[in-house]
Amino acid sequence: MSLTQRPDYGAVLSEVREVRRAGIVRLRELSLPVLAGMSAGPGEGAPGEPHFPAIEGLLRSAVSAMGEGTLQEAAAYSLGLARGTRDWPPADRRRRAAQVYGVSVERFRKHQELMVLGQVAEQLVRQAAAAAGPGTPVGQDGAGADPAAGPGRRVARLAPSHRRIPVRAGGREHLLTLHVHAVDLLRDIDVVVSPSNTYFTLPAPYKSSVAASLRRAGAVRDPAGRVVEDRIGDGLRAWTDRFAPRGLPVAPGTVAVTGAGALEGQGIRRIHHAAVAVPRPGTNDYDVQPADVTRAVTRVFALLAEAGDGPPTSVCLPLLGAGRGGIDPAESLAALWAAIEAELARGGRWNIHLLVRRPERALLVEELLGPAAPASAPDRPARNGPPT
């Protein structure tokens, strides 16, 4: 890949994670075609020329550009770029990076590590884009080349927007579907869960959140595109008028059920509004507790079982609380999974769908829910290991 081609974020992140596993001292042994292409400047990268010194320099440049702080420090330890760490075993590098955040090794692996490596990949992509200049084509190391795109132009292969993830619960295998796109593109799913605050106040339809997107997509419009009926908004107001004290919040974890409005034309029957965000007085911020996310999802399944208009078979859940709610996406996923696993273990037969918008969050979901990697050797101090 030349500097006139912009790399694919997912491909870059995959190779950065490979470097983390192997370490800088083993760069010579790794196949890193995307990073090798990114590190080759004009006139460089001749056949047979070692690429690993340039890749190390590329990684150091990206980590240095992240600015001082915990993110940069954890990235340097994770990749073995911190002074004196290039020959540390992966377990020792991970342990030291976890100490930067003051968390256990296991929690760092499940929560912060992918975020840290994702930021390294993001910085690499930005630097490549800056070197390429505006208006250059997207591409990566020749993979997915499109002959119709014209001579010398390469197009990156697009990642699938629908993925199947095998999981195990209740002694049985299950398949979850992961959607990587906007919520208003969903089709033929009986129930879509929408995050809400404890006042069940919907955001303005022009905003970008899941709740705003559903409200916008569920509205009925005239031929000029003007809203004629705010069906989801009207339905939620009718629910609160009936069940909730006027002007007072409901308990976190409460779920309100409305119709899907115009989304019924896409095969969506109902919206379950999950009250997980508690407004913080005097601010525009919210507090979300993972326990409330688990409680809300458990209630969603209970309402599915109680449906009287023909039993639904499918439900789609976003990462509740991981937007304006401010909780870590991995923490949101863990809270969702606690309720999902319990439901599947009890014999629930729902077709469960998860929804994210960003590719790095899709990678996180696949990493945390996918088949477990073989157990590694227990962490042990290296002979010249990290300080305690």
Side-chain angles (χ1 to χ4, degrees):
M1 182 185 69
S2 72
L3 288 176
T4 61
Q5 300 166 352
R6 299 188 187 186
D8 172 71
Y9 170 85
V12 174
L13 177 56
S14 178
E15 292 193 3
V16 169
R17 294 174 70 187
E18 188 65 26
V19 173
R20 194 221 69 81
R21 283 188 287 265
I24 291 295
V25 292
R26 294 179 59 193
L27 278 178
R28 181 192 296 268
E29 306 168 20
L30 301 180
S31 175
L32 305 169
V34 179
L35 293 180
M38 293 170 67
S39 64
E44 298 177 0
E49 181 179 340
H51 62 267
F52 47 90
I55 291 178
E56 180 176 345
L58 185 74
L59 292 169
R60 288 189 181 279
S61 174
V63 171
S64 296
M66 294 166 70
E68 295 183 358
T70 54
L71 189 63
Q72 183 196 57
E73 188 178 0
Y77 279 116
S78 294
L79 297 173
L81 296 173
R83 183 184 298 273
T85 64
R86 63 185 295 117
D87 62 341
W88 283 9
D92 293 333
R93 287 187 275 108
R94 176 177 279 162
R95 182 191 298 108
R96 187 62 182 84
Q99 290 176 4
V100 172
Y101 281 95
V103 298
S104 69
V105 172
E106 186 63 12
R107 181 174 178 81
F108 177 80
R109 183 184 71 82
K110 290 183 176 180
H111 295 261
Q112 287 89 357
E113 184 171 87
L114 190 59
M115 178 269 292
V116 169
L117 299 181
Q119 287 301 302
V120 175
E122 183 70 35
Q123 194 63 236
L124 288 167
V125 170
R126 288 178 184 174
Q127 290 184 354
T136 52
V138 177
Q140 66 173 65
D141 71 270
D146 182 0
R153 180 183 175 93
R154 298 188 182 276
V155 179
R157 182 177 291 117
L158 296 176
S161 59
H162 298 82
R163 312 175 191 182
R164 301 282 272 175
I165 303 177
V167 297
R168 188 170 182 83
R172 294 185 294 118
E173 298 291 335
H174 306 267
L175 280 176
L176 274 58
T177 302
L178 176 63
H179 299 256
V180 192
H181 55 67
V183 67
D184 53 0
L185 297 180
L186 292 172
R187 297 290 189 278
D188 301 318
I189 295 174
D190 293 323
V191 172
V192 177
V193 178
S194 177
S196 180
N197 57 60
T198 52
Y199 289 85
F200 283 129
T201 303
L202 286 175
Y206 57 81
K207 294 193 174 180
S208 62
S209 66
V210 169
S213 298
L214 286 171
R215 182 182 187 182
R216 183 170 59 247
V220 177
R221 300 174 182 273
D222 65 15
R226 293 181 291 262
V227 173
V228 176
E229 295 180 59
D230 180 16
R231 289 192 174 175
I232 293 177
D234 293 343
L236 191 54
R237 280 188 291 271
W239 188 97
T240 55
D241 287 345
R242 180 179 179 188
F243 296 108
R246 185 174 298 275
L248 295 177
V250 299
T254 301
V255 176
V257 179
T258 70
L263 285 168
E264 291 177 0
Q266 298 175 200
I268 296 171
R269 292 167 54 185
R270 291 202 300 273
I271 308 297
H272 283 197
H273 304 264
V276 295
V278 179
R280 194 178 300 164
T283 74
N284 293 321
D285 300 325
Y286 297 91
D287 292 315
V288 177
Q289 299 300 322
D292 292 332
V293 172
T294 302
R295 188 177 299 111
V297 177
T298 301
R299 179 61 178 156
V300 165
F301 286 122
L303 289 168
L304 292 178
E306 295 170 5
D309 57 344
T313 61
S314 54
V315 59
C316 182
L317 298 141
L319 296 183
L320 299 173
R324 287 286 305 281
I327 67 173
D328 185 87
E331 196 167 17
S332 172
L333 179 61
L336 290 177
W337 177 243
I340 293 170
E341 183 181 31
E343 180 66 20
L344 294 176
R346 283 193 295 265
R349 298 287 181 174
W350 318 109
N351 293 321
I352 297 175
H353 301 248
L354 299 176
L355 173 76
V356 297
R357 292 252 347 227
R358 293 158 51 185
E360 60 266 33
R361 291 198 174 178
L363 288 171
L364 174 69
V365 173
E366 292 179 304
E367 173 83 7
L368 296 183
L369 291 186
S376 59
D379 287 346
R380 53 172 179 77
R383 186 164 48 189
N384 296 312
T388 58

